[in-house]
Amino acid sequence: MTSLPPQAADTRDALDVTALRHPDSIKWTLYGPDVIPLWVADMDYPVAPAILEALQERLTRGLGYHQLRGDPDLLTLLRAHLATQGLDGLQDDGIALLPGVVPGLYAAVHALTTPGEPVVTMTPIYHPFHLAITDLGRRVAGVPLREGEDGYEVNWAALDAASRGSRLLMLCHPHNPTGRVWTAGELEKLRDLAIARDLFVVSDELHADLRFTGEAFEAFAADPRVRSRTITLTGPCKAYNTAGLGIGAMVGHNAALVKRVRSAAGGLMGHEGALSVTMWRAALQGAGPWLQDTVAYLQGNRDFLMAYLREHAPWIRAYTPEATYLAWLDLREHPRAGTIQQFLLDEARIAVHDGPVFAPDAHKTQYQGFIRVNFATSRAILTEALERMTAALDKAR
Ligand SMILES: Cc1ncc(COP(=O)(O)O)c(C=O)c1O
């Protein structure tokens, strides 16, 4: 086996921009060569050595069809991992591998609702949620989160009203883009609502391993009361920075429900790739320490970002994300708020995601002036991006 290049003490601090800007990276090549990309949810860090070693080893063998119907070792590792999040007792037929998490969102909308029906989700929301609903001819029953004293919270009355007449709630936990991790109390109320309104629930828990809360993660379906109606979606790509090797899983205690959703997509899903399976196995088996270090580094970046904004742009409204490497910032006070993403691209040469992306048409204007910032880069790159951003914003005030 070829040996891997030695890694610096903290590779996250020593990123090489020229290497990051390789031609296959959408994050680093979509905008101009002088633009710092803080948009799509990829981290700039090198992949965990345990994963690279496993991939190299796998390449010494053939690349024919991998074990179909779920790799037994991966399923065992995944079951053990999910049990730590409250999803204990999953059977093999309760796990279906997918080419990614987004196909699971589409499959669930397709299988569990019919065209024209409303599907409930809380906005702002990771855009494939509302796109899955509208692309498949359903309607988004969007319930805006509201600002509480300490951050974004569920508008319970509005959620309840939207749920009447709907059959599916699409939950993002932890929530992209606000970085909320729903608390035990909130999860309990969400479960009560799902039962009272007889909803199926799709809980996208892809960011579960990137938390700064210090407490064990509680899956929505940790409570047996909602297990028969819930599909949980998960995958390795956010925690281990492997989105280029698409793979995910839909899991549920109700095997018939998993089968219904998986078969609704039929042959459209394709099968999982051998390298993707190898990667996920290696991640769960040997990349735990790497993940721990990464979360610690991200937490440092998050705290730095929040402190920087408090000091240099206290007018920007922001709540400290509890998970993910994404910050949801409210710049509506700024005179250029109406075209804020383009303004920051033109004047600061930084690329962020524009607020309206995270809402269906009917709610888009509500999020104009918001941006989502990806802080999973080196402290030096983040510092330069923030300096450029605040300088450009100050100049135009
Ligand atoms: C909440 C959430 N779900 C799904 C995805 C995408 O998952 P995949 O690339 O496996 O389809 C993302 C990517 O950022 C995400 O944030």
Side-chain angles (χ1 to χ4, degrees), residues 40-42 99-103 105 126 128-129 172-176 204-207 234-238 243 246-248 325-326 372:
V40 70
D42 266 339
V101 166
V102 169
L105 294 172
Y126 173 61
F129 275 59
C172 196
H173 172 47
H175 187 261
N176 173 1
D204 177 339
E205 304 188 353
L206 183 57
H207 291 266
T234 187
C237 73
K238 294 302 117 178
I247 191 167
Y325 42 79
L326 309 165
R372 191 192 77 173

Side-chain angles (χ1 to χ4, degrees), residues 94-378:
I95 303 181
L97 295 183
L98 306 170
V101 166
V102 169
L105 294 172
Y106 275 74
V109 171
H110 182 50
L112 303 175
T113 63
T114 50
E117 261 189 63
V119 178
V120 185
T121 195
M122 292 185 271
T123 64
I125 189 67
Y126 173 61
H127 41 300
F129 275 59
H130 64 80
L131 292 174
I133 300 169
T134 53
D135 283 353
L136 294 169
R138 279 69 167 168
R139 292 183 288 119
V140 182
V143 181
L145 292 170
R146 63 180 179 206
E147 257 185 271
E149 273 179 23
D150 302 322
Y152 291 97
E153 56 183 38
V154 180
N155 183 338
W156 294 105
L159 188 65
D160 186 57
S163 300
R164 290 167 196 259
S166 175
R167 278 195 288 179
L168 176 62
L169 167 67
M170 295 174 78
L171 192 65
C172 196
H173 172 47
H175 187 261
N176 173 1
T178 64
R180 277 297 322 276
V181 179
W182 306 115
T183 62
E186 287 169 320
L187 289 170
E188 216 39 27
K189 284 176 86 164
L190 286 166
R191 292 171 187 135
D192 290 345
L193 181 116
I195 294 165
R197 299 284 163 234
D198 196 17
L199 301 170
F200 290 116
V201 179
V202 171
S203 188
D204 177 339
E205 304 188 353
L206 183 57
H207 291 266
D209 292 328
L210 293 174
R211 291 177 336 278
F212 313 118
T213 49
E215 291 148 22
F217 180 73
E218 183 178 334
F220 175 78
D223 184 338
R225 290 191 304 143
V226 291
R227 285 183 171 174
S228 63
R229 59 180 71 246
T230 304
I231 293 280
T232 304
L233 297 174
T234 187
C237 73
K238 294 302 117 178
Y240 299 100
N241 203 27
T242 55
L245 279 178
I247 191 167
M250 68 169 74
V251 307
H253 291 82
N254 178 349
L257 186 65
V258 173
K259 188 169 177 209
R260 175 171 163 190
V261 174
R262 179 63 187 82
S263 1
L268 290 173
M269 287 278 194
H271 58 78
E272 58 271 15
L275 294 181
S276 312
V277 171
T278 300
M279 172 272 292
W280 201 355
R281 248 179 0 212
L284 292 170
Q285 227 159 12
W290 178 94
L291 178 61
Q292 238 180 341
D293 291 349
T294 300
V295 171
Y297 193 87
L298 290 173
Q299 184 161 359
N301 271 8
R302 175 199 70 166
D303 294 344
F304 172 76
L305 167 83
M306 297 305 290
Y308 190 96
L309 293 180
R310 268 195 303 276
E311 185 179 343
H312 298 281
W315 57 271
I316 295 179
R317 294 180 68 79
Y319 298 99
T320 307
E322 298 158 338
T324 80
Y325 42 79
L326 309 165
W328 179 244
L329 309 181
D330 176 356
L331 283 71
R332 283 177 299 172
E333 251 187 51
H334 195 272
R336 304 297 291 276
T339 52
I340 197 69
Q341 192 272 348
Q342 192 63 46
F343 168 80
L344 291 172
L345 186 59
D346 293 343
E347 304 300 326
R349 306 304 285 155
I350 64 167
V352 297
H353 253 321
D354 203 14
V357 166
F358 300 95
D361 287 347
H363 293 263
K364 280 203 189 300
T365 51
Q366 199 174 337
Y367 299 108
Q368 185 60 57
F370 286 82
I371 57 172
R372 191 192 77 173
V373 171
N374 174 346
F375 55 82
T377 188
S378 69

